Structure formats: C-alpha cells, structure tokens
Amino acid sequence: MHSLRAWLFALALAMAAAGAASPEAMTSTQTRIAADALVREGKFKQAAEMYTQAIALDPNDKMNYFKRAVVRQGMNALKPAVADLTKVLELDPSMSKAIERKAEILKLLGMFAASEAEYRALLAFEPAKASEALSTIQNCAAHKAMADAAFASANFDQAVSSYGVAAECATRDPALRTRRAEAYEKKGDLEGAILDAQRASKLATGDLGALLYLARLHYAHGELEAANSVLGECLRSDESHSGCKDAYKRVKKLRQSWTKGNELLSSGAAADALVKLADAIAVDPEHPRYAPALHALVCSAHLKLRDAAAAVAACNLALRFDERFLDALLRLGEAFTMLESYEEAVRAYARARQHHPNNPDAQRGHETAQRVLKAASRKDFYKILGVARTATTAEINKAYRKLALEWHPDKWQLPEEKAKAELKFHDLALAKEILGDEEKRRRFDAGEDVESPQPQQQHNPFGNF
C-alpha cells in the first residue's frame, strides 16, 4: 500500500509539473519525471516499472532506456541493463555516457572482449579516460587468459593468482569465482574453494548448479551441516532437482546414522552403536574425513564390548586414512594393552606422541604402556588367579577361594608335589593381597612396582568364607 501511495504521489507531481489532467493523459516525459521521483526515494523497482511505461509511450526516447538501465544496474540486474544501453546506442551511437556505462558493466560481468570494444568506441569522445580504461581491461583479459592456460597445465597456484587479478575487475562474474574455486579445490585448499563458491552462488542467483557445487565442497571438507543447509536451499528452489535431491538423501543418511551411533555409544549401547556406525560408513566408505572418524568410533565401541582384536582392526582402518589421527592411535594403544601385546601398545602410544608431542593423553598412555611392558616380566597376578583384568573384587575373591582349596599344601603328600603346591599357594595369597587392595591394584595396573609382604605361616586362606 505504501508503494502504491508513493507511485501515485510521483504521478501527481509529474502531472502537476506538466499540467496534465489525468494519468491517462501523461506523456512519456511526464512518466519519466514520475519515475525519477521514485528513484530519489530509493524505490528502484517501482521506478523501473514506470520507466517501462515511459518506453511503451515513446520507444524512441533514449533517456527512458538509459534511466531504466541505471536503475537496473542499481538493482544488480546487469544483463538487462546492458540490453537497455545497447538500445540507447542504437538510437544515439554518440551518447558517450551510455558507451562508458555499458563498457563498465561488461567488465564487471567478465565480458572483457566486449568491454574493450566499447572502450575503443569511447576513444572518439573521451580519449584520455578511454585509454586508461583500455589498459585496465587488457590487463584483466591477459590475466584471465594466463589463468586458463595455467589451469589447463595443472599449475593451480598460478591459476588461483591470475584468476584473482581477473576477478578484481569482474566483480560480478560468477564464472570467474567458480573457476578459481575449482583451482583452489585442485590444489587441495577447500577453504579457499568454499569462499569463492559461496560468492559465485550469490552472484548466480537461481543457478542451482552453483549451489550443488558449493554443497559438494562443504561435504568434501567435512562440513555436513553446511552441506545439508545449502542442499535444502537448492530444494526449496526446485524440489525436483535430481542432483540436489540425491545429494540431500546421502547427507541425511550419513548425518542420521552417525548421530544415532554416537548417541548409542555414549549411552553404553555399544552393540547397537556398531550397527548405526556401519550404516554411516556404508554411505561413503572411502571419504578421507568421515571414514577415519567413523572407524575410530567403531574401535571405541569394540573396546567397550571388550573385543580388543576387533578394536585393533577398526583403529587400523582409521589410520589407513590418516596415520596421525590421535583418537585412533590412543584407542589402538588401549586395545593392544587389553590384548596384553604391550610392545605394540608402546609403539602405538609412541606414534601418538611423535605426531602430537604436547598431548597429555598420548604422553600418559606412552609412559603407562612402558611401565606395563616392564612389569610384564614380573608375575601376572590376574593370570595366577585366572581372572580378567576387568574382574570385580567379588570375582577375584571367588577365584582365590577355589584355587586355594585346590592348591592347599595339606592336600599333597609327595615332597615334590607339596613343594610345588606351597609355591602356588604363596602366589595365590600374594595375588589376592595385591588385587584385593584397591590402591595396590591401581599401582599394579599402572605398571608400578608393588611392595608386598612375605607370606605368613599362619595365614588362613579361608578367612573370607
């Protein structure tokens, strides 16, 4: 309603200035004057519509086309503006300000050859200005040609640099931005590629191919949420776009499976988490960013299930993609420790420290693994009692009572058998003493030397019965 009032007000002003009796009686000039009033108020869309009415009233008035071109340029409708200026120059080839404006817009659009032709036409009217502009446009065109040649020869550093110079001239050309994005992508700089692709997608309004390319870059860079957002924008413009639809389904499947797998793992449902993580991996099993992270989560799930061998396999799959991946190296060390492959555990933690020297978990894990390896030559109290390293106190006591009954020296008569039973009985008592004491067990598990008392003659092995 406000726009309509402004439009009617502009009409009234124009009619009053021209002495017209009604809107129907307005001439092309009066209509243009009304459009000028709208321009001064910043109402470019309404002004463009009124200039169009003025053109309909007099299609041979160059000023109607010129002023509509100026408004269209202000609205970033550059190609329609060029069409208007072309019409102006058909009506008056000597209108220098139309030549200059057309040449400048063509330069902004990256149409360097056409822009150069217009600046050459301007030489007849404004030689100094035209000569300076020609030097600039020729430099821009030369850098674009250099960039194209560099890209073709796989010299992507040079391509990025030269496309950058050309893009400073053609600030409204989405194709140049896309081309430089492709050069950035080829040289492995996905962040640079994304910045240019974002700019290109804004310049190429309605170009869903530009949005699909931007989404693909976000996906390649490991930015699932950003990729999902861009694909959603594409589908809001055209819900039937096959490229965006297929990519959206792929991203959605990966996001949902990954998120659910994480949630299940955090809640302790490791077996169920493995199913969802496998679904996520199946979406893109060779992706250099997603695959290692997912395999590392699989490794963690197997560790929670106490399946150390499967954990080692999963961590190694993660490290196949990225040998520096900290989480995978730490979990690998943990898995080898669970397998009692202490030398392998030390090597895994050493790799973690090599690649991440300031990481406290890598340092702590390496030092612990070294102590455990050193302690491995000593008696393994878990093996003596026949229990797992994760055994509870109740399980330790139960195992001790059973074995103490079996190896009590009083059950053996032959001297050799009795001596063997006494040694075994002594080891059982020592194992129960160490593992039954929370602090001593913690120190033993950490690979520390644990002080233990000498066996006592009057020890009652059935004291806990």
Side-chain angles (χ1 to χ4, degrees):
M1 182 63 71
H2 178 71
S3 298
L4 178 60
R5 285 199 300 269
W7 181 74
L8 291 172
F9 178 69
L11 272 176
L13 285 177
M15 290 166 59
S22 67
E24 291 79 3
M26 288 183 66
T27 65
S28 170
T29 301
Q30 292 164 352
T31 305
R32 185 171 68 243
I33 292 172
D36 292 343
L38 289 170
V39 171
R40 287 191 292 273
E41 293 181 22
K43 297 180 173 60
F44 298 138
K45 183 178 180 181
Q46 297 93 320
E49 292 170 355
M50 190 162 286
Y51 284 130
T52 300
Q53 294 178 26
I55 290 169
L57 291 168
D58 186 356
N60 293 318
D61 188 332
K62 65 182 181 183
M63 289 308 299
N64 292 332
Y65 292 103
F66 183 79
K67 290 198 170 188
R68 187 172 69 174
V70 172
V71 169
R72 282 176 164 177
Q73 183 179 1
M75 296 168 63
N76 289 321
L78 298 187
K79 290 183 179 180
V82 169
D84 279 343
L85 292 167
T86 300
K87 183 63 178 179
V88 171
L89 294 171
E90 288 176 5
L91 295 169
D92 182 2
S94 65
M95 189 174 178
S96 61
K97 60 182 181 181
I99 298 173
E100 182 181 359
R101 187 174 289 271
K102 182 180 178 183
E104 177 62 21
I105 294 175
L106 289 169
K107 184 190 77 169
L108 293 175
L109 289 171
M111 303 170 70
F112 296 139
S115 177
E116 181 178 350
E118 296 298 330
Y119 279 123
R120 289 193 181 282
L122 189 62
L123 283 170
F125 308 99
E126 298 187 52
K129 181 183 288 186
S131 294
E132 182 179 353
L134 276 170
S135 176
T136 299
I137 201 72
Q138 287 166 354
N139 182 59
C140 296
H143 274 88
K144 183 179 183 301
M146 288 168 50
D148 289 339
F151 193 100
S153 62
N155 185 352
F156 300 116
D157 286 328
Q158 180 61 54
V160 165
S161 176
S162 295
Y163 279 132
V165 175
E168 288 176 6
C169 301
T171 57
R172 306 296 301 174
D173 182 11
L176 263 180
R177 294 286 181 172
T178 298
R179 196 62 169 161
R180 189 169 70 165
E182 292 170 347
Y184 271 124
E185 183 185 8
K186 291 288 188 182
K187 69 192 290 285
D189 184 352
L190 289 178
E191 291 182 2
I194 287 170
L195 289 174
D196 268 339
Q198 286 173 332
R199 178 64 175 159
S201 69
K202 287 179 172 59
L203 292 173
T205 306
D207 184 354
L208 301 188
L211 287 176
L212 183 57
Y213 178 55
L214 175 59
R216 184 174 69 76
L217 289 173
H218 278 306
Y219 179 81
H221 196 39
E223 299 170 349
L224 276 180
E225 293 300 326
N228 185 71
S229 176
V230 173
L231 290 169
E233 181 182 349
C234 176
L235 291 174
R236 284 191 293 274
S237 297
D238 180 2
E239 63 181 13
S240 64
H241 190 282
S242 60
C244 290
K245 183 185 290 186
D246 291 344
Y248 183 80
K249 289 179 180 178
R250 184 185 188 89
V251 169
K252 182 180 179 181
K253 174 68 172 177
L254 177 56
R255 288 174 66 239
Q256 288 183 340
S257 298
W258 194 332
T259 300
K260 188 61 177 178
N262 251 330
E263 291 174 353
L264 290 167
L265 187 58
S266 298
S267 67
D272 293 332
L274 284 174
V275 175
K276 288 298 179 182
L277 292 172
D279 289 343
I281 291 171
V283 173
D284 200 342
E286 295 298 318
H287 195 288
R289 290 181 181 269
Y290 304 136
L294 288 165
H295 283 300
L297 287 174
V298 170
C299 179
S300 295
H302 283 305
L303 284 172
K304 286 182 179 293
L305 294 170
R306 313 304 298 173
D307 189 346
V312 167
C315 280
N316 279 330
L317 281 174
L319 293 168
R320 177 171 67 86
F321 291 91
D322 181 4
E323 65 177 8
R324 299 168 54 90
F325 191 13
L326 178 61
D327 283 351
L329 289 169
L330 294 177
R331 300 292 82 75
L332 183 63
E334 185 178 346
F336 277 130
T337 299
M338 191 181 294
L339 288 171
E340 300 181 6
S341 299
Y342 301 123
E343 291 184 2
E344 294 291 342
V346 168
R347 278 194 282 271
Y349 285 119
R351 288 166 62 190
R353 288 192 73 176
Q354 176 188 353
H355 297 305
H356 307 276
N358 298 319
N359 183 269
D361 292 330
Q363 180 178 348
R364 185 165 48 250
H366 188 219
E367 292 172 352
T368 299
Q370 287 177 315
R371 287 196 300 269
V372 172
L373 176 61
K374 181 179 178 181
S377 59
R378 301 194 301 269
K379 292 179 178 178
D380 186 337
F381 296 124
Y382 290 104
K383 284 187 176 181
I384 290 173
L385 290 176
V387 296
R389 297 183 73 87
T390 56
T392 64
T393 301
E395 290 170 335
I396 289 169
N397 288 335
K398 180 179 179 181
Y400 170 74
R401 287 193 297 268
K402 178 182 177 182
L403 292 170
L405 283 171
E406 179 181 347
W407 290 98
H408 195 287
D410 291 347
K411 294 181 62 177
W412 306 88
Q413 302 300 322
L414 296 177
E416 296 84 358
E417 293 176 341
K418 194 174 187 67
K420 179 180 178 181
E422 287 175 348
L423 289 174
K424 184 70 174 179
F425 194 74
H426 163 264
D427 288 345
L428 290 170
L430 186 56
K432 179 185 179 300
E433 178 182 344
I434 299 301
L435 300 183
D437 184 287
E438 184 177 342
E439 176 60 20
K440 288 182 179 181
R441 182 178 180 180
R442 183 194 65 77
R443 291 172 55 204
F444 175 77
D445 287 343
E448 297 181 19
D449 292 328
V450 183
E451 293 291 335
S452 55
Q454 295 296 321
Q456 300 179 12
Q457 295 290 333
Q458 301 302 317
H459 176 69
N460 180 6
F462 307 106
N464 289 322
F465 271 48

